[in-house]
Amino acid sequence: VNDAGRLSIDETVERIKALVGPKGWVSDPNDIEPYLVEPRGLFHGATRLVVRPASTADVAAIVTLCAAAKLPIVPQGGNTGLVGAQVPPENGNNIVVSLQRMNKIRAVDPLNYTMTVEAGVILADIQKAAEEADRLFPLSLGAEGSCRIGGNLSTNAGGVGVLRYGNTRDLALGLEVVLPDGRIWDGLRALRKDNTGYDLKQLFIGGEGTLGIITAAVLKLFPRPREIETAMIALANVDDVMEIFARARAASGDQLTAFELIPRFGIEMTTQHLHGISDPIAAAYPWYVLLEISSSEASGASRAKLENFLAAQIEAGLVVDGVIAASAAQAANIWRIRDGMTEAQGYEGGSIKHDVSVPVSRVAEFIRTAMAAVEARLPGIRPCPFGHVGDGNIHFNLSQPKGADPKGVDKAAYLARWGEFNDIVHGIVAALGGSISAEHGIGRLKRDEITHYKSPLELDLMRKIKHALDPDGIMNPGKVIAAE
Ligand code: FAD
Ligand code: LAC
Ligand code: ZN
């Protein structure tokens, strides 16, 4: 105990260990390592302790101890985040609070179309539990087998169903949160209407762990789809892509549940580098769209709608070729191409990545303008714009020129130009009224970049909110906004 009657940092760490018991913490360097790195290898942190509490009360007790000692906390879920937000700072003066053990589904209420879950439940397990109750939890993304709902909420994850069901923000009715001073906020309401002042949960959703630790949530469920039809369509150029989208929405009775853009480069990479994927369309075209229509009614209407739509658009000349999956295996093959995009890019050398959005009507304009600009800056650069264009989100990734050594010095030299390409791409995004982070968040990766794109007023309000909830700055410091 130090002069102020408080525990020292070392004593605080020992107290936390004693509190959670031997199963509740990790400090061996080998066991800690997976918590210190992230999927893209851009950040590598350090920590004193990884603590794995098993209950909300334990989380609150840990945070209370940390608050007293002003020991920074880094909340972590499945560690699949793509902006370094879940990685502890390099100085190691922090603890990582992993929600992995808080993985219980507390309740399913099919009549209320809701489910109450702890923050550490893996997204795929939530999807499965919803299905077992004859319901749908529509959040779906490539990392769903390992990301956890607390992470999904804290990043306001998007994914492939946003055009129909919204972002994670739209899928939560209530939250339970441990605040930076250790108090527990029980906001686990299961209401679809609740106009009782500020909607506090929305601060924590997308807060990237900087305002508190989410320990549980009430999630919205939907009717389970009884028919799902998947198609891959080919386009001669990208200009008409959003006209096709608009027509597909209308022609499907607004039952379009996915609309994902894939360039030819993406088909080539995935079929070449990943196992068991085949090109679904015999001829090669510059652009493709994965299109899915689903319905909770099993009438066969979805199939007919998709066939009629495809025939009409080929007739109209907007679509040049296409295939409707005739089996679950064929649909899975098309989805594997889409979901394999990130992995396949890893085999093509350095990839400078942008996760941007523009108004849906301006997607094609963005792609055309940005591709021309980056190709002018570095001839031979290989743009790979792909993703959730049905909600205006483009993953505008740029593979290094071919022929350059993918592993050695060329890759490092190429990746060193990330900032230069940010300026080009984000400048175009801003001019089109877009966002420099559509769905992955800010974290460390874009913390300084957003200061150029958000207004001083917005940045001022964000800092004031942070200060109001976390005056000592112990909750995930240095993420989203720079530590004071
Ligand atoms: P983590 O990575 O562990 O943490 C992310 C952030 O949330 C950090 O700031 C962390 O501090 C905070 N956090 C975690 N848990 C809590 C909690 N309980 N309380 C408070 N803060 C917490 N993202 C998309 O939006 N759409 C996609 O389509 C998509 N596809 C992906 C595909 C792949 C292959 C990969 C690797 C990632 C993808 N992502 C996507 C990014 C990532 O999966 C999401 O951001 C996901 O929501 C992160 O969840 P997680 O549990 O892994 O969180
Ligand atoms: C995806 C990730 C990169 O959509 O968000 O594949
Ligand atoms: Zn995505």
Side-chain angles (χ1 to χ4, degrees), residues 50-64:
V50 173
V51 57
R52 302 167 69 239
S55 69
T56 302
D58 279 0
V59 175
I62 292 163
V63 175
T64 303

Side-chain angles (χ1 to χ4, degrees), residues 13-24:
V13 168
E14 290 311 313
R15 277 283 184 95
I16 291 171
K17 286 183 179 175
L19 181 92
V20 294
K23 274 199 201 149

Side-chain angles (χ1 to χ4, degrees), residues 257-327:
T257 38
F259 192 87
E260 297 279 324
L261 182 70
I262 300 169
R264 179 68 205 166
F265 184 29
I267 307 274
E268 284 165 4
M269 280 190 298
T270 49
T271 52
Q272 185 187 337
H273 299 303
L274 310 182
H275 288 295
I277 293 182
S278 57
D279 187 344
I281 300 178
Y285 300 96
W287 297 94
Y288 302 81
V289 170
L290 180 164
L291 200 141
E292 183 191 271
I293 290 178
S294 62
S295 170
S296 58
E297 201 182 39
S299 63
S302 300
R303 178 89 195 177
K305 281 174 185 169
L306 199 48
E307 283 170 355
N308 293 341
F309 172 74
L310 197 54
Q313 299 322 312
I314 289 176
E315 172 85 25
L318 286 187
V319 172
V320 286
D321 205 342
V323 56
I324 299 176
S327 65

Side-chain angles (χ1 to χ4, degrees), residues 159 338 355 388 393 395 439-440:
R338 165 60 188 89
D355 165 38
H388 328 291
N393 181 185
H395 295 308
E439 61 171 9
H440 295 159

Side-chain angles (χ1 to χ4, degrees), residues 75-78 80 99 102 115-123 126 137 139 141 147-158 167-177 185 187-188 200-220 439-441:
Q76 195 176 97
T80 68
L99 280 294
M102 292 188 56
M115 188 190 297
T116 307
V117 298
E118 290 184 347
V121 186
I122 289 177
L123 175 55
I126 294 177
F137 183 61
L139 183 64
L141 46 137
C147 62
R148 293 168 190 262
I149 193 68
N152 301 142
L153 288 157
S154 299
T155 58
N156 182 30
N167 293 288
T168 307
R169 191 181 293 293
D170 305 297
L171 301 174
L173 294 178
L175 291 187
E176 178 187 84
V177 181
W185 173 48
L188 283 178
L200 298 175
K201 67 177 177 294
Q202 298 300 353
L203 286 175
F204 303 98
I205 301 176
E208 300 186 43
T210 62
L211 300 178
I213 301 182
I214 297 172
T215 48
V218 180
L219 305 174
K220 261 192 214 173
E439 61 171 9
H440 295 159

Side-chain angles (χ1 to χ4, degrees), residues 55-244:
S55 69
T56 302
D58 279 0
V59 175
I62 292 163
V63 175
T64 303
L65 284 164
C66 290
K70 295 193 174 30
L71 175 59
I73 296 167
V74 182
Q76 195 176 97
N79 194 8
T80 68
L82 297 175
V83 292
Q86 73 280 18
V87 177
E90 289 83 351
N91 67 16
N93 180 39
N94 62 76
I95 63 162
V96 172
V97 176
S98 165
L99 280 294
Q100 282 168 336
R101 285 170 78 210
M102 292 188 56
N103 60 359
K104 281 192 265 319
I105 292 177
R106 291 190 187 165
V108 182
D109 184 346
L111 197 56
N112 199 41
Y113 276 82
T114 53
M115 188 190 297
T116 307
V117 298
E118 290 184 347
V121 186
I122 289 177
L123 175 55
D125 293 337
I126 294 177
Q127 296 167 341
K128 212 161 110 238
E131 201 177 323
E132 281 161 11
D134 198 28
R135 297 289 180 262
L136 171 75
F137 183 61
L139 183 64
S140 176
L141 46 137
E144 65 197 23
S146 46
C147 62
R148 293 168 190 262
I149 193 68
N152 301 142
L153 288 157
S154 299
T155 58
N156 182 30
V160 294
V162 173
L163 75 171
R164 173 79 174 278
Y165 299 102
N167 293 288
T168 307
R169 191 181 293 293
D170 305 297
L171 301 174
L173 294 178
L175 291 187
E176 178 187 84
V177 181
V178 172
L179 302 175
D181 60 9
R183 285 182 297 169
I184 300 169
W185 173 48
D186 179 356
L188 283 178
R189 297 183 191 88
L191 304 173
R192 283 182 172 72
K193 285 192 156 182
D194 178 19
N195 269 351
T196 51
Y198 305 140
D199 192 353
L200 298 175
K201 67 177 177 294
Q202 298 300 353
L203 286 175
F204 303 98
I205 301 176
E208 300 186 43
T210 62
L211 300 178
I213 301 182
I214 297 172
T215 48
V218 180
L219 305 174
K220 261 192 214 173
L221 303 179
F222 293 81
R224 188 170 67 78
R226 285 186 162 62
E227 57 185 35
I228 302 177
E229 298 293 344
T230 312
M232 180 85 116
I233 61 175
L235 281 54
N237 64 65
V238 80
D239 291 323
D240 296 325
V241 66
M242 300 324 289
E243 176 61 30
I244 295 167

Side-chain angles (χ1 to χ4, degrees), residues 412-430:
Y414 175 73
L415 292 178
R417 297 180 69 175
W418 199 305
E420 182 188 339
F421 284 98
N422 270 352
D423 289 348
I424 297 173
V425 175
H426 293 165
I428 294 167
V429 164

